[in-house]
């Protein structure tokens, strides 16, 4: 733990910019590492394995936090997901831009092929794990990951200005 503490702590801190949370996540990461040490495959770099656990622990931590979402349109569950992707503006102009961005993201999600819409909905709206999504959709975990990756790429492609 002494050897890798700074690497894990600074990795998380760089992503979330909060000293206390970074420390909590680093502690949680090392707890997981100690509990899963038997699962470590010596054919792979330990540091990479450790940082991957730190990354996933950080994502889990962020998902557990209550994100205060403001419903901009009750007609679609994608609204809260889209809204959580952007920061709430403080001025009326920034809020209007945020609403327009949410609408644009929601419309583009709804244009994705149905199989991608499903995995996006399950992962980001219902906050299900890859394993839960795989079970629900009768897919392998790798298929779920691939579909999410493809959905994100398609979504980014449609959201980027030409």
């Amino acid at each position: 733990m002494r050897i890798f503490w700074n690497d894990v702590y600074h990795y998380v801190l760089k992503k979330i910019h909060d000293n206390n949370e970074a420390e909590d996540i680093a502690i949680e990461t090392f707890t997981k590492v100690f509990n899963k040490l038997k699962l470590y495959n010596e054919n792979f770099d330990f540091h990479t394995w450790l940082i991957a656990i730190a990354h996933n622990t950080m994502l889990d931590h962020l998902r557990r936090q209550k994100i205060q979402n403001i419903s901009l349109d009750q007609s679609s569950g994608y609204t809260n997901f889209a809204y959580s992707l952007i920061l709430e503006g403080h001025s009326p102009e920034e809020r209007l831009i945020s609403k327009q961005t949410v609408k644009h993201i929601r419309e583009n999600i709804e244009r994705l092929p149905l199989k991608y819409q499903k995995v996006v909905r399950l992962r980001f709206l219902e906050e299900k794990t890859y394993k839960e999504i795989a079970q629900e959709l009768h897919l392998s975990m790798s298929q779920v990951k691939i579909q999410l990756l493809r959905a994100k790429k398609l979504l980014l492609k449609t959201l980027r200005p030409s």
Side-chain angles (χ1 to χ4, degrees):
M1 189 167 146
R2 275 183 270 127
I3 295 169
F4 294 106
W5 174 264
N6 285 336
D7 291 343
V8 170
Y9 173 77
H10 289 291
Y11 174 80
V12 174
L13 182 62
K14 188 170 31 169
K15 302 283 186 188
I16 63 169
H17 309 290
D18 183 307
N19 292 327
N20 294 329
E21 282 194 47
E23 188 173 307
D24 290 346
I25 293 168
I27 290 168
E28 189 177 343
T29 297
F30 282 105
T31 302
K32 287 182 180 181
V33 167
F34 291 134
N35 288 333
K36 298 182 185 268
L37 206 50
K38 292 178 184 175
L39 300 175
Y40 171 65
N41 183 342
E42 294 179 10
N43 295 328
F44 298 100
D45 182 46
F46 182 79
H47 184 265
T48 304
W49 182 69
L50 179 65
I51 294 300
I53 292 173
H55 181 80
N56 291 333
T57 302
M58 177 186 60
L59 291 178
D60 291 343
H61 179 81
L62 294 173
R63 280 190 198 106
R64 282 192 304 260
Q65 286 182 338
K66 297 286 184 195
I67 299 172
Q68 185 178 16
N69 291 322
I70 297 173
S71 178
L72 301 174
D73 178 10
Q74 295 297 332
S75 66
S76 171
Y78 291 125
T79 300
N80 290 336
F81 163 66
Y83 191 75
S84 69
L85 292 177
I86 57 175
L87 296 173
E88 178 184 0
H90 296 290
S91 72
E93 180 182 73
E94 289 171 325
R95 281 195 279 275
L96 177 62
I97 291 169
S98 294
K99 286 180 184 179
Q100 291 171 345
T101 304
V102 167
K103 182 180 179 194
H104 183 65
I105 292 170
R106 187 185 70 237
E107 288 170 350
N108 282 289
I109 289 172
E110 291 172 357
R111 287 187 192 128
L112 291 173
L114 189 57
K115 69 180 181 178
Y116 296 146
Q117 285 182 39
K118 284 181 185 178
V119 294
V120 167
R121 179 181 47 78
L122 292 170
R123 181 70 176 151
F124 298 108
L125 296 177
E126 297 180 22
E127 297 182 354
K128 293 194 175 189
T129 65
Y130 292 130
K131 186 176 182 178
E132 292 170 330
I133 295 169
Q135 289 172 347
E136 187 168 325
L137 298 179
H138 306 291
L139 299 170
S140 69
M141 293 236 319
S142 61
Q143 288 173 312
V144 169
K145 290 176 184 179
I146 289 169
Q147 285 188 11
L148 275 169
L149 180 65
R150 289 178 180 162
K152 288 177 190 177
K153 284 183 179 181
L154 285 172
L155 188 58
L156 281 174
K157 194 183 281 186
T158 62
L159 293 174
R160 284 196 181 124
S162 300

